[in-house]
Amino acid sequence: MSETTATLYEQLGGEAAVNAAVDIFYRKVLSDHRINRFFDNTDMDKQAAKQKSFLTMAFGGPNNYSGADMRQAHAHLVKKLGLDDTHFDAVVENLAATLQELNVPQNLINQVAAIAESTRNDVLDR
């Protein structure tokens, strides 16, 4: 009988780790002049809650995400504000910096980055 492999969600530290990461991540994003304008009219408490649910699901934890898919959720930002690859890269950079700040091992950061990268075309509506 083989042992079951822990999900990325479990390896990262579960709910407490995802919650801490999202809070730090948005602090970084909102202070990043390259991308903070995309959140000017956003209820950040709601946004953080949606992001926590999405990342929990994406990392293999309980699926309680009920928000829009990535294409729908970001289409207005692409059309109205010009969301593009440079902005996506800035988000991924802030996510990696957040995980580094939380002392997450590089191999797990790489897995998170790969999951983020897998959403690029949907987020950028192409």
Side-chain angles (χ1 to χ4, degrees):
M1 198 179 263
S2 65
E3 286 185 38
T4 56
T5 305
T7 64
L8 178 57
Y9 176 76
E10 293 163 336
Q11 292 176 67
L12 290 168
E15 182 180 3
V18 170
N19 289 347
V22 169
D23 292 341
I24 293 168
F25 168 74
Y26 278 121
R27 188 184 72 228
K28 291 180 181 304
V29 164
L30 293 175
S31 64
D32 187 333
H33 71 280
R34 298 172 296 174
I35 53 178
N36 57 9
R37 67 188 173 93
F38 293 105
F39 298 91
D40 282 349
N41 297 310
T42 302
D43 178 331
M44 290 309 297
D45 289 334
K46 276 186 175 176
Q47 179 66 28
K50 284 191 287 189
Q51 185 71 283
K52 288 171 184 177
S53 292
F54 175 76
L55 291 178
T56 294
M57 183 244 345
F59 297 160
N63 184 358
N64 297 315
Y65 181 70
S66 60
D69 69 37
M70 293 298 101
R71 190 175 299 272
Q72 285 179 308
H74 297 88
H76 70 286
L77 299 175
V78 173
K79 290 179 180 76
K80 293 180 181 168
L81 296 176
L83 182 70
D84 66 20
D85 283 298
T86 62
H87 305 117
F88 190 94
D89 293 343
V91 168
V92 173
E93 181 184 308
N94 280 291
L95 183 55
T98 295
L99 297 175
Q100 289 166 348
E101 185 175 321
L102 291 169
N103 298 311
V104 172
Q106 189 61 47
N107 66 313
L108 299 182
I109 294 173
N110 294 345
Q111 290 179 53
V112 169
I115 290 168
E117 187 60 42
S118 75
T119 70
R120 182 183 293 264
N121 286 340
D122 285 336
V123 168
L124 298 179
D125 197 26
R126 43 181 198 218

